[in-house]
């Protein structure tokens, strides 16, 4: 055997081993789903689901009610198939890709099963069964991905769970035809709702203002309800009679006590307001950065007294205060007084270090303002001042930021630290030498732009694609794994290696602000149908590909679309007329040997901006086709 044949044989052996690993991994996942489904079947009444044959595959040979995607079980649509018995939640937990469940029109009874253990569910449809009893108040607290909840035509009692009305992605809610009682909890995200029905229960009290735009038919059959959108005036509602055994004089005494308590409460409120206004005068001086001084470097200092110290430090002695503040690793119940480090690869620092640094305004983006700060140790960072990020509790926000801080990928910029305040958040990341792709491509016509030749642009596209593939894998349960992909959020290092920024913020951002600030909400499916998905990220990726190939500033980035070039229509028209070459930026078109590769990439970009999301490339296919292009 020749010396050159040995390496080739070794390569073939390695490829064969990889294919076998992939094959058996897929088979393992499939077998796991089969076992879980058969386990679930056993919990139902005998004789149910006869098509669930263990000798066949639920995806290859369609089992009744089993929905698959790419060989993975993603849904169970077992509606009107005569099921009863129990529902094995442990079996459902073993189906890792499960996102939708429908047991509509069956005969299940008893309390609601522990579906809340399935935290990644997007649809829970239980209409027309015999479920009963009260649903625990916090039942839905860990089901943040839910979009559709149908509990109608059952026998549920007690109050509507508060956690149900606080779901951050809830679009459809049907609880009509039950025995729910008491007041309606306020709806936290009313503008997301497309369909809601609370009719024919025993609800009472004033309808919260968050429901005022809902059609009145959604509340009929609840005699105790009043207020908009109903015509019943709450002031005209009869007062409830006094409880048995309580005299009128006792009631008057109680009313007097209430008046005294109300007066005391008013005094306390006035005191707190005055204290708050005084405190605001002493608030930190970081607000100086909001001034329209875009060309100057300003020195920002925070008085030591305004930094709220962690309570632990004061109990453990002064010797530990400095270290605690520098690392930002502790925080008290009253608020985070320092930076909280989530990634210490560039060392640790605290809010005082940041505040004493020279801060240069970089610009204002949709999610907030950005500043460059060079600290005393020479580390350059970018501080993003985020507002409208109160969608999650402090603890949940901390969990998300720590998750972001744990990410490691050469094409994804990992945040270093953050600072939490209710009204605003600071997110600190490493400063990238060449700034953003937007600036290099459209703003700097000097040396940097001259270096943006075809190999460099292809390198940038490949890096963006790899970074997006990583995010789509890490945040597979998110509708928008990135959510705000555009050239201003692609940062470039000295070697033009791109790093993605401003990703995975959609679950943190208030919905109304996200719609205004994030580029994924400019996709055709949101403009037409108010829907976003992972394919919305693909649309944004396609815009960047066309932007890099044409060298044109996309009008899609502008809020009013006045200015720039409508790269979508321009490219689609040229492809239809088979004039793709005229689209290529003249600064790279002179590389005539690579025109075929450029047109190939242009066609990939066009496949990413299809107006119908189902016709767009998925991320894996886009990456595969892009990686095949070689300079």
């Amino acid at each position: 055997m020749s010396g050159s044949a040995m390496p080739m044989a070794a390569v073939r052996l390695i490829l064969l081993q990889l294919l076998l690993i992939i094959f058996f991994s897929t088979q393992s996942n499939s077998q796991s789903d089969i076992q879980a489904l058969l386990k679930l079947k056993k919990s139902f009444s005998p004789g149910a689901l006869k098509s669930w044959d263990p000798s066949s595959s639920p995806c290859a040979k369609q089992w009744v009610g089993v929905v698959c995607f790419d060989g993975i079980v993603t849904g169970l649509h077992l509606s009107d198939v005569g099921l009863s018995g129990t529902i094995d939640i442990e079996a459902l937990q073993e189906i890792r890709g499960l996102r939708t469940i429908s047991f509509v029109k069956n005969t299940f009874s008893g309390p609601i099963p522990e579906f809340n253990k399935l935290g990644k569910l997007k649809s829970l449809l239980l209409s027309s069964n015999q479920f009963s009893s009260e649903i625990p108040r916090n039942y839905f607290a860990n089901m943040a991905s839910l979009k559709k909840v149908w509990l109608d035509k059952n026998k549920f009692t007690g109050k509507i769970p508060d956690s149900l009305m606080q779901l951050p992605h809830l679009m459809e809610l049907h609880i009509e035809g039950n025995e729910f009682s008491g007041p309606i909890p306020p709806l936290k995200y009313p503008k997301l709702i497309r369909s809601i029905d609370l009719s024919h229960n025993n609800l009472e009290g004033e309808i919260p203002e968050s429901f005022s735009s809902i059609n009145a038919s959604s509340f009929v059959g609840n005699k105790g309800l009043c207020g908009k959108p109903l015509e019943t005036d709450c002031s005209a509602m009869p007062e409830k009679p006094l409880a048995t055994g309580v005299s009128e004089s006792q009631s008057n005494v109680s009313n007097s006590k209430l008046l005294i308590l109300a007066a005391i409460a008013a005094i306390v409120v006035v005191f707190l307001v005055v204290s708050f206004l005084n405190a605001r005068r002493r608030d930190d001086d970081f607000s100086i950065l909001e001034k329209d001084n875009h060309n100057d470097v300003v020195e920002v200092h925070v008085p030591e007294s305004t930094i709220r110290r962690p309570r632990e430090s004061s109990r453990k002695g002064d010797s530990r205060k400095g270290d605690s503040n520098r690392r930002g690793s502790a925080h008290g119940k009253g608020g985070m007084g320092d930076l909280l480090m989530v990634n210490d690869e560039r060392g640790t620092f605290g809010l005082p270090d940041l505040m004493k640094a020279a801060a240069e305004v970089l610009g204002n983006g949709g999610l907030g303002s950005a500043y460059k700060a060079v600290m005393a140790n020479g580390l350059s960072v970018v501080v993003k001042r985020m507002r409208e990020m109160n969608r999650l509790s402090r603890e949940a926000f901390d969990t998300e930021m720590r998750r972001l801080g744990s990410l490691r990928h050469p094409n994804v910029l990992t945040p270093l630290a953050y600072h939490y305040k209710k009204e605003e958040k600071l997110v600190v990341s490493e400063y990238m030498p060449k700034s953003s792709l937007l600036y290099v491509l459209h703003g700097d016509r000097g040396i940097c732009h001259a270096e943006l030749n075809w190999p460099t642009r292809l390198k940038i596209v490949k890096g963006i694609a790899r970074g997006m593939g990583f995010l789509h894998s890490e945040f597979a349960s998110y509708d928008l794994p990135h959510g705000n992909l555009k050239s201003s959020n692609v940062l470039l290092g000295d070697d033009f290696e791109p790093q993605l920024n401003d990703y995975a913020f959609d679950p943190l951002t208030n919905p109304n602000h996200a719609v205004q600030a994030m580029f994924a909400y400019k996709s055709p499916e949101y403009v037409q149908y108010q829907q976003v998905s992972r394919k919305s990220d693909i649309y944004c990726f396609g815009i960047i590909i066309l932007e890099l190939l044409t060298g044109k500033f996309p009008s899609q980035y502008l809020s009013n679309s006045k200015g720039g070039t409508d790269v979508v229509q321009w490219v689609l028209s040229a492809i239809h007329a088979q004039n793709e070459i005229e689209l290529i930026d003249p600064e790279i078109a002179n590389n005539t040997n690579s025109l075929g590769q450029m047109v190939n990439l242009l066609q990939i970009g066009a496949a990413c901006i299809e107006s119908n999301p189902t016709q767009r490339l998925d991320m894996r296919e886009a990456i595969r086709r892009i990686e095949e292009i070689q300079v």
Side-chain angles (χ1 to χ4, degrees), residues 360-609:
E360 179 182 357
V361 179
L362 296 179
N364 295 311
L367 290 175
S369 305
Y371 312 91
K372 175 186 176 183
V374 182
M375 291 186 285
N377 63 0
L379 176 65
S380 296
V381 296
V382 172
V383 183
K384 280 213 165 183
R385 189 178 189 182
M386 307 286 202
R387 298 185 185 273
E388 302 292 333
M389 272 197 173
N390 296 320
R391 192 168 184 173
L392 301 181
S393 66
R394 173 181 296 176
E395 292 73 20
F397 187 91
D398 178 70
T399 299
E400 287 297 313
M401 291 306 302
R402 288 184 180 278
R403 182 180 181 185
L404 297 183
S406 68
L407 299 178
R408 297 294 184 272
H409 189 277
N411 299 116
V412 172
L413 185 67
T414 304
L416 303 175
Y418 77 94
H419 175 69
Y420 185 100
K421 276 189 178 180
K422 184 176 182 180
E423 62 272 18
E424 67 180 12
K425 317 291 182 290
L426 304 182
V427 179
V428 184
S429 305
E430 185 180 7
Y431 177 76
M432 301 299 290
K434 291 190 183 300
S435 188
S436 70
L437 174 61
L438 176 74
Y439 177 73
V440 172
L441 190 58
H442 305 296
D444 184 0
R445 310 302 295 185
I447 297 176
C448 289
H449 194 276
E451 294 174 3
L452 274 181
N453 52 32
W454 164 240
T456 299
R457 297 192 196 199
L458 181 60
K459 175 182 181 178
I460 292 171
V461 170
K462 288 185 174 182
I464 296 172
R466 293 163 187 163
M468 288 295 290
F470 175 78
L471 293 178
H472 276 232
S473 174
E474 286 292 312
F475 301 100
S477 64
Y478 287 12
D479 283 342
L480 296 174
H482 193 294
N484 201 24
L485 180 64
K486 50 187 176 180
S487 56
S488 60
N489 287 328
V490 176
L491 306 179
L492 301 176
D494 279 324
D495 56 353
F496 286 93
E497 191 68 29
Q499 289 194 320
L500 305 183
N501 193 28
D502 268 13
Y503 51 84
F505 281 155
D506 185 58
L508 284 65
T509 307
N510 301 350
N512 292 341
H513 186 62
V515 170
Q516 299 297 323
M518 293 189 175
F519 189 50
Y521 288 90
K522 294 285 188 73
S523 59
E525 59 269 29
Y526 187 82
V527 173
Q528 295 179 36
Y529 308 112
Q530 288 71 58
Q531 295 177 349
V532 290
S533 68
R534 296 158 63 86
K535 289 295 187 74
S536 306
D537 268 351
I538 306 299
Y539 175 83
C540 301
F541 180 45
I543 295 291
I544 285 190
I545 293 176
L546 302 185
E547 182 181 3
L548 270 163
L549 283 170
T550 64
K552 301 295 185 181
F553 180 87
S555 62
Q556 284 77 10
Y557 289 163
L558 302 173
S559 58
N560 56 10
S561 297
K562 293 181 179 179
T565 301
D566 187 343
V567 293
V568 172
Q569 287 303 316
W570 186 37
V571 168
L572 293 180
S573 298
I575 291 177
H576 180 73
Q578 298 183 339
N579 291 326
E580 294 95 332
I581 293 178
E582 73 175 23
L583 298 169
I584 306 300
D585 187 347
E587 296 201 31
I588 59 172
N590 55 7
N591 191 344
T592 54
N593 294 332
S594 301
L595 280 176
Q597 300 167 355
M598 297 175 197
V599 171
N600 189 359
L601 183 59
L602 187 76
Q603 291 170 342
I604 296 172
C608 291
I609 58 166

Side-chain angles (χ1 to χ4, degrees), residues 89 92-93 98 101 114-121 143:
I89 299 298
L92 292 175
Q93 286 180 291
L98 190 62
I101 288 178
E114 293 180 306
F115 292 113
N116 54 340
K117 290 184 177 180
L118 309 174
K120 294 182 179 179
L121 276 186
M143 305 184 77

